[in-house]
Amino acid sequence: MLQVTEGPDRGATLHFGDPFKEQKALAAGTAWADLSHLEIVAIKGVDRLRWLHDLTTQHLESFNGGWTNGLILDHLGHIKHQFLIFDDGETSWLIVDVNRAAPLMDYLNKMRFTMRVEVRDASLEKSLIRIPGATDDLGGPFQLVDRGAIPEFPDAIQVGIWALEAERVESMRPRIGLETDHKSIPNEIGLLNKSVHLNKGCYRGQETVAKVNNLGQPPRKLVLLHLDGSDVDLPAIGADIERDGIKVGFIGTVARHHELGNIALGIVKRNVEADSALTVAGIAAKIN
């Protein structure tokens, strides 16, 4: 059992001895994962959904509860916050990566004004669990439980971050800080009609999202890369993606997949063709 020592999953278990077996169980729907390392922001109050509707990219004003996700953008449409959302009818729980609860709370508290909402750090109250079942569009199914009250799943095996991240890369679900940089907009990473609802009222950054969507030409795009498997070492997050020796993008998450081999998510310029011969840190790469 290996622990993750840095990055957005710091404190989680990387794997429990056989990461490929764990990946196969995840694909079969017979796996579960303890995601207690993730941070949680709780928002309580009668105005919470209307308030979050106005602040985020997601349509929440008439949300009937359950799971969804969303983003908060800056005024130019750049991605500032990414989170899962669970609303239980009384509280909206926003689940974020390690070290991202504090800046999110800081922004939310600045935007409270006269709204009847309360914002608190609930990371020591609740834990996120990835429960057994076929993977959904959010990367779940998920369950939010009281911290320390981990359910038992006798017919499933526990998996670590290695398996979860390999599945996420395969499914091309981008993650803030890994597949984004300071100028990333939702249009570039496949989040329209997912984390971003295109039929709702104004929110910060909406003008950029709508303009780029109407033009149909985001400056960059998210791609799935297959890396040459002959190299033992994998490229680091943020490494340059090159075509003919010229930088055309950067690498995000890299994973060893039980079927696909070495794969990665990358952000490349819009004009990079699918059949381009690419390299990442000297390793040959091909767009899937």
Side-chain angles (χ1 to χ4, degrees):
M1 185 171 71
L2 294 177
Q3 297 297 117
V4 180
T5 59
E6 59 183 14
D9 289 310
R10 188 176 70 252
T13 299
L14 182 61
H15 65 78
F16 292 87
D18 189 342
F20 288 166
K21 178 182 178 181
E22 294 173 26
Q23 288 183 43
K24 292 175 183 177
L26 190 63
T30 57
W32 73 279
D34 180 358
L35 301 176
S36 299
H37 65 288
L38 297 178
E39 299 178 347
I40 301 175
V41 174
I43 303 171
K44 194 168 185 176
V46 295
D47 292 332
R48 69 189 185 284
L49 290 176
R50 181 161 62 94
W51 183 57
L52 288 172
H53 178 88
D54 292 338
L55 293 179
T56 75
T57 59
Q58 191 57 268
H59 198 297
L60 297 168
E61 193 169 32
S62 57
F63 188 51
N64 293 320
W67 291 93
T68 187
N69 56 13
L71 307 170
I72 290 175
L73 312 178
D74 68 12
H75 67 289
L76 295 176
H78 302 140
I79 299 170
K80 303 299 290 184
H81 302 282
Q82 178 188 40
F83 36 79
L84 287 170
I85 305 172
F86 176 66
D87 191 87
D88 61 12
E90 294 184 355
T91 303
S92 293
W93 309 88
L94 276 54
I95 296 94
V96 296
D97 286 344
V98 172
N99 291 334
R100 292 193 177 270
L104 175 58
M105 290 179 59
D106 182 62
Y107 173 75
L108 292 174
N109 280 316
K110 288 177 181 177
M111 301 302 293
R112 285 174 58 188
F113 303 116
T114 61
M115 301 299 286
R116 294 168 293 177
V117 294
E118 299 175 1
V119 180
R120 72 178 189 275
D121 189 334
S123 303
L124 299 180
E125 298 176 34
K126 298 288 185 179
S127 293
L128 183 68
I129 305 297
R130 201 288 190 189
I131 61 176
T135 303
D136 60 28
D137 292 339
L138 302 178
F142 296 114
Q143 183 177 344
L144 198 64
V145 302
D146 291 338
R147 194 163 190 87
I150 305 298
E152 294 185 3
F153 303 104
D155 298 323
I157 70 167
Q158 188 174 4
V159 304
I161 294 301
W162 183 325
L164 293 172
E165 287 293 87
E167 189 279 326
R168 182 178 68 81
V169 172
E170 178 190 13
S171 300
M172 295 184 66
R173 295 193 307 273
R175 193 171 179 182
I176 190 170
L178 300 177
E179 284 75 51
T180 68
D181 59 14
H182 66 283
K183 59 182 180 180
S184 295
I185 61 175
N187 313 62
E188 297 176 322
I189 56 176
L191 295 181
L192 302 189
N193 290 316
K194 295 178 182 178
S195 299
V196 180
H197 200 292
L198 291 177
N199 298 310
K200 58 169 285 186
C202 186
Y203 56 87
R204 190 174 68 163
Q206 185 190 32
E207 182 177 356
T208 297
V209 172
K211 180 179 179 180
V212 175
N213 180 58
N214 290 335
L215 292 175
Q217 294 183 330
R220 302 180 297 181
K221 60 186 177 182
L222 178 73
V223 295
L224 176 63
L225 297 174
H226 287 270
L227 305 177
D228 185 346
S230 62
D231 286 271
V232 175
D233 296 327
L234 296 178
I237 292 171
D240 291 348
I241 300 174
E242 296 183 343
R243 179 180 60 183
D244 298 327
I246 299 173
K247 180 180 176 180
V248 293
F250 67 90
I251 203 80
T253 307
V254 184
R256 297 189 192 275
H257 192 277
H258 71 287
E259 290 184 337
L260 301 177
N262 296 341
I263 56 175
L265 291 176
I267 301 295
V268 298
K269 293 180 179 179
R270 184 180 69 242
N271 63 359
V272 174
E273 300 87 359
D275 60 353
S276 296
L278 306 173
T279 59
V280 183
I283 301 172
K286 180 181 179 181
I287 297 176
N288 182 48

